[in-house]
């Protein structure tokens, strides 16, 4: 397929994907915004770090009477967001399940950055922290951990809270550089509390989420 850069960028706007830019954003005053975590129920995330880039992610679905079609992404070198280093805008829609994927580039190796998403109403996500990878020729040690096989209704994701708590208690030199996920992000089959009030495998089941179009099946394993 012969896909030009222009066509790629045009198509990207319809799937919630955008690319960062420094021109016109460097040293810009941050947007006046009110943090509304309820409007960004899945929070924020970053992934696929390289020495000079990282992908930022969020989801801003319609909540009650509040809907958004565009997000401004702001990147700063400090968590206080006194000045903006880079930024950009991304369009979101039902076609991308209201998600936004933002490629932040032209960053420096092995550096901390803070980011957030702001919709056109001035409502902001929580502030996220990300780290770029060391340079290709760097001999800096890389520390990471891995996770897998999540079932929120049974495990309540408390392992993540413990991992973050322990990491924040370490010195900067001993903190994690990234988390590797091995798969099975959220199982497509789950238990609900009313289906199994005695729990499963010794664990109490919580109704932290439900699949809106889910159907009950009885499966027998041999």
């Amino acid at each position: 397929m012969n896909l030009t850069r222009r066509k790629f960028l045009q198509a990207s706007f319809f799937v919630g994907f955008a690319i960062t830019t420094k021109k016109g954003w460097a040293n810009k005053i941050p947007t006046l915004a009110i943090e509304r975590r309820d409007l960004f129920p899945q929070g924020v995330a970053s992934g696929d770090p390289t020495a000079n880039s990282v992908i930022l992610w969020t989801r801003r679905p319609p909540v009650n009477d509040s809907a958004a079609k565009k997000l401004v992404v702001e990147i700063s070198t400090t968590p206080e967001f006194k000045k903006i280093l880079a930024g950009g805008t991304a369009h979101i829609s039902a076609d991308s399940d209201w998600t936004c994927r933002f490629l932040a580039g032209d960053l420096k190796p092995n550096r901390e950055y803070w980011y957030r998403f702001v919709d056109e109403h001035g409502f902001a996500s929580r502030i996220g922290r990300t780290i770029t990878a060391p340079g290709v020729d760097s001999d800096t040690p890389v520390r990471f951990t891995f996770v897998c096989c999540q079932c929120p209704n049974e495990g309540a994701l408390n392992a993540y809270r413990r991992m973050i708590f322990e990491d924040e208690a370490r010195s900067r030199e001993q903190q994690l550089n990234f988390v590797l996920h091995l798969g099975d992000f959220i199982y497509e089959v789950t238990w609900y509390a009313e289906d199994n009030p005695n729990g499963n495998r010794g664990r109490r089941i919580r109704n932290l989420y439900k699949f809106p179009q889910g159907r009950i099946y009885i499966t027998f394993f041999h």
Side-chain angles (χ1 to χ4, degrees):
M1 180 180 179
N2 185 16
L3 182 65
T4 65
R5 182 175 181 273
R6 181 182 295 274
K7 289 182 179 179
F8 169 76
L9 292 176
Q10 288 175 342
S12 296
F13 286 123
F14 295 100
V15 293
F17 189 92
I19 300 176
T20 187
T21 177
K22 287 188 176 180
K23 186 177 181 180
W25 289 85
N27 297 320
K28 185 178 178 181
I29 301 299
T31 304
L32 291 177
I34 300 174
E35 186 175 293
R36 287 285 303 272
R37 297 188 180 188
D38 59 311
L39 300 180
F40 297 82
Q42 282 74 36
V44 298
S46 66
D48 293 334
T50 70
N52 57 18
S53 70
V54 66
I55 293 179
L56 310 178
W57 180 93
T58 195
R59 182 170 183 264
R60 171 51 170 105
V63 178
N64 297 326
D65 295 329
S66 179
K69 296 182 179 180
K70 184 176 71 173
L71 296 177
V72 171
V73 187
E74 296 180 334
I75 302 169
S76 178
T77 55
T78 64
E80 293 80 16
F81 271 76
K82 293 181 178 179
K83 287 185 179 180
I84 302 300
L85 170 72
T89 59
H91 294 272
I92 57 174
S93 69
D95 293 336
S96 61
D97 193 28
W98 308 103
T99 60
C100 172
R101 288 161 290 168
F102 191 85
L103 177 60
D106 293 329
L107 305 177
K108 294 184 178 181
N110 198 26
R111 296 290 182 89
E112 282 184 322
Y113 294 95
W114 283 263
Y115 63 95
R116 68 175 182 174
F117 299 82
V118 184
D119 67 20
E120 65 263 42
H121 310 297
F123 298 135
S125 68
R126 69 176 67 201
I127 294 174
R129 169 181 167 267
T130 190
I131 306 174
T132 50
V136 177
D137 299 326
S138 173
D139 58 358
T140 301
V142 174
R143 295 175 174 82
F144 70 95
T145 187
F146 69 85
V147 295
C148 66
C149 302
Q150 298 179 113
C151 189
N153 282 0
E154 293 183 45
L157 302 183
N158 49 20
Y160 281 92
R161 187 181 296 276
R162 179 65 178 267
M163 180 178 65
I164 294 171
F165 174 80
E166 292 182 350
D167 191 53
E168 289 182 340
R170 297 188 181 101
S171 64
R172 176 66 185 90
E173 294 74 19
Q174 294 295 321
Q175 289 180 345
L176 295 170
N177 293 95
F178 68 94
V179 178
L180 175 64
H181 205 295
L182 302 181
D184 289 344
F185 182 63
I186 292 180
Y187 288 120
E188 70 278 9
V189 177
T190 190
W191 289 99
Y192 296 139
E194 62 268 23
D195 299 326
N196 197 347
N198 294 323
N200 191 28
R201 295 190 289 266
R203 293 182 174 180
R204 179 169 64 91
I205 297 175
R206 305 166 174 81
N207 280 337
L208 300 182
Y209 73 93
K210 286 192 173 184
F211 294 111
Q213 286 82 38
R215 289 180 291 175
I216 296 178
Y217 286 91
I218 298 177
T219 304
F220 295 93
F221 296 94
H222 300 281

